[in-house]
């Protein structure tokens, strides 16, 4: 229940359920967002065809990456309590470290997923894109570099995103729970409040960090190693400032709705497990 800290196992299982449910439910919207942001535009990168391309890599990575996030987030948040008085700072630090840990799994899956979504080099399955990276490791600067292409840009996107999302989420959640006199909330009620708070926090964070997401997508889809600054200058020169906001609507929609499922599911499963 609210105010009780989850154990390692509870965070692990709750995070896995939340991550898988969210990524599977909103995968088509994520595909549309990727194709809008990819160089050449939406229809050139597949349009509405093969909207579930890349789902395999996404499903495989969803549970472990979300588990890593919540295990780190809940643990660090708890450990920091005696040392950091401000709850906002605790949430920012814990969420940032959680994102870094989650990206160990998320980035390789994201590279494969986005290349599959955009039919990169004509490859239309997660497995074929994975094999392409492995077989062409010299071109990609090594297998690890190939799989972790866009690591820096992903971290630069995720940390600002999570610094906005989780303090806002925790604040909204605190307000939601303090507004009720029922100290024994039913799990569904807790899940619903978590979902509403997650939707608002996720939507705000998603909209504000869209430019970073566009840059990250371009780096991951590039055939050659390109830097953050190079992509920014290329976008401005070739497509104008408005290109930084490509995909903002589907990104905001899917992350706000995804935030509702992600955090609502997490709260629901966590509370159910802690009642056992």
């Amino acid at each position: 229940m609210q105010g009780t800290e989850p154990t390692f196992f509870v965070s692990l299982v709750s995070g896995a359920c939340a991550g898988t449910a969210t990524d599977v439910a909103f995968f088509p919207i994520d595909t549309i967002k990727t194709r809008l942001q990819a160089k050449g535009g939406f229809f050139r990168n597949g349009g509405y065809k093969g909207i579930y391309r890349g789902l395999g890599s996404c499903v495989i990575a969803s549970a472990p990456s979300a588990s890593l996030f919540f295990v780190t987030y809940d643990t660090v948040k708890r450990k920091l309590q005696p040392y950091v008085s401000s709850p906002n700072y605790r949430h920012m630090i814990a969420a940032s470290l959680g994102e870094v840990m989650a990206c160990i799994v998320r980035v390789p899956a994201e590279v494969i997923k986005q290349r599959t979504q955009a039919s990169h080099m004509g490859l239309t399955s997660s497995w074929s894109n994975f094999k392409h990276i492995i077989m062409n490791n010299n071109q990609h600067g090594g297998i690890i570099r190939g799989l972790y292409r866009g690591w820096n840009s992903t971290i630069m996107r995720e940390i600002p995103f999570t610094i906005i999302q989780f303090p806002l989420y925790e604040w909204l959640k605190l307000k939601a729970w303090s507004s009720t006199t029922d100290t024994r909330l039913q799990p569904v009620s807790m899940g619903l409040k978590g979902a509403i708070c997650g939707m608002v926090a996720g939507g705000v964070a998603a909209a504000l960090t869209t430019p970073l997401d566009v840059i990250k997508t371009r780096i991951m889809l590039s055939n050659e190693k390109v830097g953050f600054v190079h992509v920014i200058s290329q976008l401005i020169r070739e497509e104008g400032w408005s290109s930084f906001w490509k995909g903002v609507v589907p990104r905001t929609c899917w992350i706000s709705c995804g935030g509702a499922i992600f955090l609502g599911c997490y709260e629901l499963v966590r509370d159910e497990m802690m009642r056992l």
Side-chain angles (χ1 to χ4, degrees):
M1 288 182 289
Q2 180 70 3
T4 304
E5 294 295 338
T7 64
F8 177 91
F9 182 70
V10 169
S11 296
L12 186 77
V13 175
S14 302
C17 292
T20 303
T22 305
D23 287 344
V24 172
F26 293 100
F27 189 83
I29 302 177
D30 182 52
T31 300
I32 292 171
K33 184 270 300 180
T34 297
R35 291 175 180 178
L36 283 168
Q37 292 178 345
K39 192 172 184 178
F42 179 68
F43 290 103
R44 188 175 174 182
N45 287 282
Y48 294 104
K49 295 179 181 178
I51 210 77
Y52 280 96
R53 286 176 188 165
L55 181 62
S57 60
C58 179
V59 170
I60 290 171
S62 292
S65 64
S67 292
L68 275 171
F69 173 82
F70 277 112
V71 164
T72 305
Y73 178 71
D74 288 331
T75 302
V76 172
K77 186 172 64 171
R78 183 171 60 251
K79 296 292 185 182
L80 284 176
Q81 196 160 1
Y83 308 104
V84 181
S85 58
S86 169
N88 286 335
Y89 289 148
R90 287 200 303 271
H91 299 150
M92 287 180 184
I93 295 168
S96 297
L97 291 174
E99 287 293 353
V100 172
M101 293 301 295
C103 281
I104 294 172
V105 175
R106 185 185 301 151
V107 170
E110 189 87 350
V111 170
I112 295 167
K113 180 197 74 175
Q114 291 201 321
R115 287 173 176 237
T116 307
Q117 287 173 327
S119 301
H120 182 74
M121 299 186 71
L123 303 174
T124 57
S125 73
S126 297
W127 178 242
S128 60
N129 272 291
F130 175 70
K131 285 195 299 181
H132 179 77
I133 293 173
I134 299 299
M135 298 298 291
N136 294 273
N137 60 81
N138 289 329
Q139 179 183 345
H140 288 279
I143 295 173
I144 299 300
R145 285 192 179 184
L147 288 172
Y148 281 90
R149 173 168 290 183
W151 166 270
N152 291 338
S153 59
T154 302
I155 294 297
M156 290 177 71
R157 178 197 68 176
E158 295 296 350
I159 289 181
F161 176 88
T162 203
I163 282 176
I164 297 169
Q165 182 190 30
F166 271 85
L168 179 57
Y169 168 68
E170 295 283 1
W171 180 80
L172 290 170
K173 191 172 69 168
L174 182 65
K175 293 295 182 181
W177 262 278
S178 64
S179 66
T180 181
T181 57
D182 185 3
T183 58
R184 293 183 59 83
L185 288 171
Q186 293 298 316
V188 172
S189 177
M190 295 187 73
L192 180 61
K193 288 192 175 186
I196 294 170
C197 297
M199 179 176 66
V200 175
V204 171
L208 293 176
T209 56
T210 296
L212 296 173
D213 188 55
V214 172
I215 296 166
K216 187 269 307 178
T217 298
R218 291 298 178 91
I219 290 174
M220 285 187 169
L221 293 178
S222 174
N223 290 326
E224 301 174 353
K225 184 179 179 181
V226 291
F228 197 82
V229 175
H230 172 78
V231 171
I232 292 174
S233 61
Q234 186 179 49
L235 280 166
I236 295 170
R237 184 176 64 254
E238 296 181 3
E239 302 175 49
W241 289 96
S242 62
S243 62
F244 288 100
W245 297 99
K246 285 185 175 180
V248 63
V249 173
R251 172 173 163 80
T252 302
C253 287
W254 98 258
I255 291 182
S256 59
C257 295
I261 293 181
F262 185 65
L263 292 166
C265 181
Y266 176 75
E267 294 288 349
L268 179 63
V269 175
R270 185 184 75 165
D271 191 67
E272 284 283 14
M273 291 185 69
M274 292 176 70
R275 287 171 182 267
L276 296 177

